[in-house]
């Protein structure tokens, strides 16, 4: 590839990731989870290299899932979301596939140098994504069931969390603290996946691919509020089980919770892109704070 072509691809990929694969958001959401997972599994002696490698593996896996979605949903998106980067020919599916190949290689290399169990789990994860790319050989049958379709794809994220645990400690055994933390991260993942598919009335399409299409805007926000509250409860359960003393740090989750409630109310009343971004930011900050407190305390 020529130098000019490479620079062109980088520029176009930057435009693509802003809308379809926000790397900064994913790093901010994933990095604290890695820290809290280490605190749950291994306790001390966390190296920067381990964090970097696990973060790189996680982002690579996320990107692999995104590229699969782009290929699998190409016809649907061309019909109902023709303003997206691939549909606008800013970047092609072939180019994304090439970048995805690099991501898969990085993911596997990191797994190889971690442990046999991490490599085995990585292969299981890639096999699952393969079946997911083929819609589990059910075609349109599974697409007709929106909630089931999203649930089977959510499994990919849950497998990644197990991979994170295995990265830090090969022979970890399941106890109540790990189970609660796994539920905490799972609900956190569901939160962002659910929020991603809440669209304001003016942005709702006829593709029947959002939660607001099935529940309506107000009810979707209520369900999202319930998920966040459940995440708060699980965080409190972790603090009790691990005997974490929040002390003066109690103000941080309280302040961010108030910020979240305010942004939720504003989005409920205003229903625009600014309040949507505000709700995403407040949710991210709250989730980050929970994970960082688990690690540092």
């Amino acid at each position: 590839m020529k130098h000019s072509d490479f620079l062109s691809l980088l520029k176009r990929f930057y435009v693509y990731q802003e809308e379809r694969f926000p790397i900064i958001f994913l790093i901010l959401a994933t990095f604290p989870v890695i820290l809290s997972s280490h605190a749950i599994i291994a306790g001390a002696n966390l190296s920067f290299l381990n964090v970097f490698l696990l973060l790189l593996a996680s982002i690579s896996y996320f990107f692999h899932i995104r590229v699969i979605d782009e290929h699998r949903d190409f016809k649907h998106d061309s019909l109902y979301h023709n303003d997206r980067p691939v549909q606008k020919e800013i970047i092609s599916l072939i180019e994304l596939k090439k970048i995805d190949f690099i991501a898969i290689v990085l993911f596997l290399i990191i797994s190889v140098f971690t442990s046999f169990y991490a490599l085995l789990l990585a292969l299981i994860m890639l096999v699952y994504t393969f079946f997911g790319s083929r819609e589990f050989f059910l075609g349109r049958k599974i697409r007709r069931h929106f909630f089931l379709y999203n649930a089977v794809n959510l499994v990919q994220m849950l497998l990644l969390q197990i991979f994170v645990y295995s990265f830090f400690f090969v022979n970890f055994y399941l106890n109540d603290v790990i189970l609660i933390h796994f539920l905490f991260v799972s609900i956190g993942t569901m939160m962002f996946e659910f929020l991603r598919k809440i669209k304001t009335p003016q942005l709702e399409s006829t593709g029947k691919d959002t939660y607001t299409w099935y529940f309506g805007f107000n009810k979707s926000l209520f369900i999202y509020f319930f998920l966040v509250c459940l995440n708060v409860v699980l965080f409190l359960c972790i603090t009790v089980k691990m005997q974490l003393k929040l002390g003066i740090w109690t103000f941080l989750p309280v302040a961010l919770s108030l910020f979240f409630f305010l942004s939720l109310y504003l989005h409920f009343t205003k229903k625009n892109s600014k309040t949507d971004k505000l709700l995403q930011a407040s949710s991210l900050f709250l989730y980050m704070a929970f994970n960082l407190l688990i690690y540092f305390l």
Side-chain angles (χ1 to χ4, degrees):
M1 182 183 291
K2 296 180 180 178
H3 181 68
S4 58
D5 293 338
F6 178 70
L7 289 178
S8 173
L9 178 59
L10 283 181
K11 290 178 181 178
R12 288 182 287 112
F13 179 74
Y14 178 80
V15 174
Y16 169 81
Q17 66 86 31
E18 277 191 311
E19 181 178 343
R20 300 292 288 157
F21 189 71
I23 295 176
I24 299 300
F25 181 92
L26 289 170
I27 290 175
L28 291 175
T30 306
F31 176 69
V33 174
I34 291 174
L35 295 182
S36 71
S37 298
H38 181 272
I40 293 291
I41 296 295
N45 302 320
L46 176 62
S47 71
F48 172 79
L49 179 61
N50 282 342
V51 173
F52 174 76
L53 290 176
L54 190 47
L55 186 60
L56 183 59
S58 300
I59 298 301
S60 298
Y61 183 67
F62 285 142
F63 183 70
H64 178 55
I65 294 173
R66 168 48 56 204
V67 174
I68 285 175
D69 287 345
E70 292 288 4
H71 277 79
R72 185 177 53 202
D73 300 337
F74 179 75
K75 291 182 179 179
H76 176 88
D77 291 347
S78 297
L79 185 60
Y80 298 105
H81 305 286
N82 56 17
D83 58 337
R84 288 179 174 172
V86 172
Q87 279 63 41
K88 292 166 65 176
E89 299 184 348
I90 292 174
I91 194 167
S92 69
L93 290 176
I94 294 176
E95 289 171 323
L96 288 176
K97 199 71 175 178
K98 291 178 180 178
I99 301 173
D100 181 40
F101 176 77
I102 298 173
I104 294 173
V105 170
L106 282 173
F107 180 62
L108 287 174
I109 289 175
I110 293 171
S111 303
V112 166
F113 287 98
T114 301
S115 68
F116 171 76
Y117 296 102
L119 175 60
L120 180 61
L121 186 56
L123 293 174
I124 291 173
M125 292 161 68
L126 292 177
V127 168
Y128 191 91
T129 59
F130 169 78
F131 281 103
S133 68
R134 299 297 188 275
E135 295 181 323
F136 300 93
F137 299 101
L138 295 174
R140 292 184 178 180
K141 291 181 180 179
I142 194 170
R143 277 184 174 270
R144 294 194 190 103
H145 303 279
F146 176 76
F147 302 103
L148 176 62
Y149 183 71
N150 282 280
V152 295
N153 285 306
L154 185 64
V155 171
Q156 298 170 130
M157 306 298 186
L158 305 186
L159 288 173
L160 178 60
Q161 181 56 29
I162 298 174
F163 177 83
V164 170
Y165 290 144
S166 67
F167 187 93
F168 289 126
F169 196 72
V170 176
N171 298 316
F172 77 88
Y173 61 93
L174 190 64
N175 57 34
D176 53 350
V177 177
I178 295 175
L179 180 59
I180 294 172
H181 183 265
F182 181 73
L183 291 173
F184 167 75
V185 175
S186 300
I187 295 299
T189 302
M190 289 175 61
M191 279 166 43
F192 293 115
E193 282 297 301
F194 196 90
L195 183 59
R196 189 170 65 89
K197 295 185 178 182
I198 294 179
K199 300 297 181 183
T200 55
Q202 60 269 30
L203 294 178
E204 187 67 73
S205 73
T206 56
K208 300 181 181 180
D209 53 5
T210 64
Y211 290 105
T212 41
W213 174 270
Y214 293 93
F215 295 124
F217 184 79
N218 294 346
K219 188 178 289 187
S220 295
L221 281 187
F222 177 79
I223 296 172
Y224 181 68
F225 170 74
F226 172 77
L227 289 174
V228 174
C229 288
L230 184 56
N231 199 243
V232 172
V233 171
L234 289 169
F235 167 72
L236 294 176
C237 289
I238 292 173
T239 61
V240 172
K241 286 289 183 179
M242 295 185 70
Q243 298 181 344
L244 301 180
K245 297 179 180 180
L246 294 176
I248 62 172
W249 292 107
T250 305
F251 83 91
L252 184 60
V254 171
L256 290 174
S257 295
L258 293 175
F259 177 43
F260 166 77
F261 293 138
L262 175 62
S263 61
L264 184 71
Y265 172 75
L266 289 174
H267 196 42
F268 178 79
T269 55
K270 301 294 183 180
K271 300 180 179 67
N272 57 46
S273 59
K274 289 183 179 180
T275 55
D276 181 32
K277 291 179 180 178
L278 183 66
L279 182 59
Q280 290 182 36
S282 65
S283 302
L284 176 62
F285 292 152
L286 184 62
Y287 188 58
M288 286 176 62
F290 286 161
N291 282 280
L292 291 174
L293 285 171
I294 292 171
Y295 175 71
F296 285 109
L297 297 179

